[in-house]
Amino acid sequence: MAQSFDVVVIGGGPGGYIAAIRAAQLGLAVACVDEWKGADGKPALGGTCTNVGCIPSKAVLQSSENFEQAGHGFAEHGVKVKGLELDLAQMLKRKDQVVKQNNDGIAYLFKKNKVAFFHGRGSLAGSGGGGHYIAVGGESLNAKHVVVATGSSARALPGAEFDEKLVLSNTGALALPEVPMRLGIVGAGVIGLELGSVWRRLGAQVTILEALPAFLGAADEQIAKEAAKVFAKQGLEIQLGVKISKVSSSKKNVIIQYNTEANSPKTLECDKLIVSIGRVPNTEGLNAAAAGLKLDERGFVVVDQDCRTNLPNVWAIGDVVRGPMLAHKAEEEGAAVAERIAGKKPHVDFNTVPWVIYTAPEIAWVGKTEQQLKVEGLEYRAGTFPFSANARARAMGQTAGLVKFLADAKTDEILGVHIMGPFAGELIAEAVVAMQFRGSSEDIGMICHAHPSLSEAMKEAALAVDERALNI
């Protein structure tokens, strides 16, 4: 006999576990199915984000930044460090502990909210019994509503499949037992820049090959240009407009043959190669075809604006559907779908989903870039303020970067905010709130910000839209 639930969520990542918890909070009988295992073979809730993505990468980003500061930054503050030594094993052990804390935290939340958990791969097994059947190993579940939240996997480079020893995805790149002398990275996006930063700080010579002719094309062009200068100064070698022709590996290294933007043939020999060229939706094993679940040509589950699929009472969220592959976007969709199932009318605004790159300095943005506004023919005004003129940034010794506001030329409504600088990922929240309430740059400029604080750069950039900045 199948166990019956109001909602069964397939996938325990950020979108899935949030959907399950929110549905349970609303009084529904909920189960979550997830197949992830930790190194100990036990269930490890949290999906890619918690296990081999957002969380472990932030742990080693922090640790590697501490190492670099101890070696290069502390002396300026009068702190002298003698005999600095890297204990990579301890750094990775701490990373694993942080991951485990998050795994256990989700399991606790399931117990607290009475979410039933089933370990294994969930697949659609037909309809009946007043709902849909989901097969999990040898068990059968029945649900009135199904939420597909199966996430995504790293996209492999043709001809260079992941072995997680020489050719690495994010999984292998977060578990290297020693620092490679020469590290190659294909893809200068979020993952490539973050992981490149980690291993450069720890001593690797890092070369990043990017196919696109522009660096960080999704970011505001002014911010991207400033970031490229900073990363180059740090020692990251980034080559743009690259076309890879061949990747070959031996027992000890990887050789990448490629052409530059000027069509000049080159060869990069490295000890390890990280491939970060995007991600593909996880639908393998879902039994989508047999169940009649519609996928698009790229393998994403087709959904409407409310995350409904073509099957009645089957929903899909997160990386497995359209939109940015961001954990917080998946969380918002998960909570919204749970509320729709419960008869509520939530709203998710994709125009105010923030992006963050956790390099040093951090890069964050929300809304339109200046180049997008130009293409769309929208009249706007821009205001910028550099962290070099911010008192708190000076005190911290982190003055690289700026804040940039873009506002409608007539109404002054904020259209986009772009930041490169210390704690940009935290500062961007103010812009998200303002944009969600359709605030103006003047609104931010009129709000009192604590002094000295990094947030004053937000106020100053907002004032600069009207050429009223006070501290520059």
Side-chain angles (χ1 to χ4, degrees):
M1 291 289 292
Q3 297 186 57
S4 295
F5 297 90
D6 294 321
V7 182
V8 170
V9 181
I10 304 176
Y17 83 75
I18 289 294
I21 290 170
R22 184 64 184 127
Q25 287 177 342
L26 292 166
L28 300 171
V30 183
C32 182
V33 179
D34 189 80
E35 67 173 340
W36 205 289
K37 293 180 182 179
D40 57 4
K42 297 180 180 179
L45 281 163
T48 294
C49 173
T50 299
N51 290 289
V52 293
C54 325
I55 305 306
S57 64
K58 301 312 160 284
V60 292
L61 277 160
Q62 184 63 57
S63 296
S64 61
E65 178 65 11
N66 289 345
F67 179 75
E68 182 164 71
Q69 287 299 316
H72 304 285
F74 284 179
E76 180 185 352
H77 294 268
V79 181
K80 296 183 178 180
V81 179
K82 292 183 179 180
L84 181 66
E85 183 180 349
L86 172 65
D87 185 346
L88 183 57
Q90 171 58 31
M91 189 177 289
L92 296 180
K93 180 181 178 181
R94 177 186 177 274
K95 177 258 299 181
D96 292 339
Q97 290 171 340
V98 171
V99 169
K100 185 68 164 56
Q101 288 170 347
N102 283 271
N103 295 144
D104 293 346
I106 299 167
Y108 163 76
L109 290 171
F110 275 10
K111 290 180 181 179
K112 176 187 175 184
N113 291 281
K114 297 180 174 57
V115 175
F117 173 62
F118 295 86
H119 189 231
R121 176 172 292 194
S123 60
L124 300 171
S127 59
H132 298 273
Y133 288 105
I134 299 95
V136 189
E139 295 190 73
S140 178
L141 311 179
N142 186 269
K144 296 175 184 175
H145 292 265
V146 178
V147 181
V148 177
T150 47
S152 63
S153 300
R155 183 189 300 276
L157 187 68
E161 298 302 315
F162 297 119
D163 60 13
E164 305 300 2
K165 294 178 181 178
L166 289 173
V167 181
L168 314 168
S169 69
N170 51 293
T171 301
L174 287 164
L176 289 173
E178 57 186 31
V179 181
M181 288 184 62
R182 303 164 302 174
L183 176 64
I185 300 177
V186 179
V190 176
I191 296 171
L193 290 172
E194 290 185 357
L195 294 176
S197 295
V198 167
W199 294 108
R200 179 202 61 76
R201 294 167 188 167
L202 300 181
Q205 178 184 335
V206 179
T207 303
I208 303 179
L209 305 179
E210 169 57 52
L212 294 175
F215 177 63
L216 281 181
D220 187 86
E221 188 174 357
Q222 183 178 3
I223 298 290
K225 287 181 177 179
E226 288 297 318
K229 294 176 186 176
V230 171
F231 295 148
K233 189 175 180 180
Q234 290 175 352
L236 280 180
E237 182 184 349
I238 302 172
Q239 299 185 32
L240 304 174
V242 167
K243 292 183 179 179
I244 295 175
S245 54
K246 185 178 180 182
V247 178
S248 55
S249 57
S250 64
K251 291 183 178 180
K252 293 184 178 181
N253 60 20
V254 183
I255 298 174
I256 305 101
Q257 295 176 324
Y258 64 97
N259 282 9
T260 64
E261 197 170 8
N263 210 30
S264 173
K266 287 195 174 185
T267 299
L268 173 66
E269 186 173 340
C270 53
D271 302 299
K272 305 287 183 183
L273 177 67
I274 298 173
V275 177
S276 55
I277 56 172
R279 300 182 64 80
V280 294
N282 286 335
T283 53
E284 184 180 350
L286 187 59
N287 201 29
L293 182 65
K294 187 176 180 180
L295 308 181
D296 69 14
E297 64 279 1
R298 296 182 298 162
F300 289 93
V301 178
V302 176
V303 293
D304 65 12
Q305 63 182 8
D306 291 332
C307 293
R308 291 183 178 88
T309 72
N310 65 301
L311 298 179
N313 295 335
V314 176
W315 313 70
I317 61 172
D319 285 7
V320 80
V321 303
R322 79 287 179 266
M325 287 184 166
L326 298 169
H328 44 284
K329 173 260 194 184
E331 290 178 333
E332 294 303 310
E333 287 180 329
V337 162
E339 292 179 5
R340 289 181 187 118
I341 290 171
K344 297 183 179 296
K345 296 182 179 180
H347 175 65
V348 178
D349 186 356
F350 290 114
N351 295 315
T352 54
V353 173
W355 291 71
V356 184
I357 305 175
Y358 294 89
T359 46
E362 293 181 357
I363 301 169
W365 68 91
V366 62
K368 303 280 188 180
T369 64
E370 188 166 3
Q371 56 265 35
Q372 285 175 323
L373 295 177
K374 288 178 178 177
V375 169
E376 293 173 16
L378 296 176
E379 294 184 12
Y380 66 92
R381 295 187 299 168
T384 63
F385 188 82
F387 281 102
S388 59
N390 176 266
R392 181 72 194 281
R394 288 170 178 164
M396 293 169 64
Q398 298 183 38
T399 56
L402 70 152
V403 176
K404 179 176 184 177
F405 268 70
L406 298 167
D408 187 281
K410 295 179 181 178
T411 67
D412 195 39
E413 180 179 350
I414 301 168
L415 303 175
V417 177
H418 307 270
I419 311 170
M420 182 183 79
F423 297 102
E426 308 299 326
L427 295 173
I428 199 65
E430 181 178 15
V432 174
V433 171
M435 289 182 64
Q436 191 66 55
F437 286 95
R438 301 194 67 176
S440 65
S441 67
E442 186 181 38
D443 289 333
I444 299 299
M446 292 174 66
I447 294 171
C448 181
H449 291 65
H451 177 78
S453 68
L454 296 172
S455 66
E456 287 180 290
M458 298 286 285
K459 177 186 178 79
E460 292 282 356
L463 288 171
V465 170
D466 195 37
E467 299 181 355
R468 292 170 51 198
L470 298 167
N471 282 282
I472 192 168

